[in-house]
Amino acid sequence: MRIILFGPPGCGKGTQATFISDSLAIPHLSTGDMLRSAVGSGSEIGMKAKNIMERGGLVSDEIVLSIVEERIAKNDCENGFILDGFPRTVNQAEKLDLLLSNSHKLDCVLRIKVDEDEIIKRLIDRAREDDKPEIIKNRFKTYNSETQPLIPFYEERKILFNINGMQKIEKVSEDIKKVIGAI
Ligand code: AMP
């Protein structure tokens, strides 16, 4: 199965991706994790991404697409994968379609919905380097302008499923399981 986990920063994508990855035995591909590891290793990509990530902006589509293309070509992605944090722009979504062959199309986009107040609270509690108040504000601005347009994009294709992310973690997982089971 090829799944996209979609939602604003702090909606619980990472936690739910781990759950889906374990239950379907498919890898969890987080572009945020891949970029953080590139920054940590001091690679060329990491150096280009570092400042942008620190400001809460989006790393260029070109860089992110090259990372994703390389990763999904690996053997462990043959039976599917969960994308977490990608695509984040309509251009990334269109390019992803081109990367996936006709027999390996996306099965679903799971959109985890959480109220903005709750998300801000969660991000402040999480206190990662890019979760400082002014950066959180920027991450939201970026999400609203660049990433939200993906909702109608996938709605039109009838592969978008809404999940109530305001519930307990276990209940969110249960709802995801139901959606995946019905596809
Ligand atoms: P995340 O852990 O998914 O919140 O990602 C952390 C940061 O990495 C984001 O704030 C962006 O700067 C960058 N990033 C992750 N995924 C993408 C993407 N698909 N496109 C552009 N930038 C990304």
Side-chain angles (χ1 to χ4, degrees), residues 33-62:
D33 285 350
M34 294 181 217
L35 289 166
R36 274 185 289 276
S37 122
V39 170
S41 74
S43 68
E44 201 186 324
I45 284 183
M47 268 155 24
K48 282 188 189 155
K50 190 169 185 282
N51 285 340
I52 302 165
M53 291 173 76
E54 278 171 357
R55 287 199 307 269
L58 288 186
V59 174
S60 77
D61 287 351
E62 194 195 347

Side-chain angles (χ1 to χ4, degrees), residues 122-173:
R122 288 187 195 178
L123 289 178
I124 289 168
D125 288 348
R126 184 168 80 174
R128 214 169 55 187
E129 194 49 31
D130 57 357
D131 290 335
K132 293 188 186 117
E134 68 280 11
I135 301 173
I136 291 177
K137 241 168 87 184
N138 251 341
R139 278 156 64 83
F140 268 108
K141 235 172 91 188
T142 309
Y143 176 80
N144 287 330
S145 63
E146 303 290 330
T147 310
Q148 285 266 31
L150 286 172
I151 296 170
F153 179 89
Y154 285 122
E155 241 164 14
E156 239 167 63
R157 288 169 52 174
K158 314 232 180 304
I159 56 169
L160 186 97
F161 297 87
N162 289 305
I163 305 285
N164 176 5
M166 297 289 285
Q167 312 172 94
K168 279 197 180 139
I169 291 176
E170 297 75 23
K171 181 70 173 69
V172 176
S173 302

Side-chain angles (χ1 to χ4, degrees), residues 100-138:
L100 301 174
S101 66
N102 281 335
S103 55
H104 291 78
K105 287 277 170 234
L106 285 172
D107 292 288
C108 63
V109 178
L110 301 170
R111 174 194 179 198
I112 306 183
K113 289 177 82 173
V114 178
D115 295 346
E116 196 163 316
D117 289 350
E118 168 67 16
I119 281 191
I120 291 169
K121 194 175 141 280
R122 288 187 195 178
L123 289 178
I124 289 168
D125 288 348
R126 184 168 80 174
R128 214 169 55 187
E129 194 49 31
D130 57 357
D131 290 335
K132 293 188 186 117
E134 68 280 11
I135 301 173
I136 291 177
K137 241 168 87 184
N138 251 341

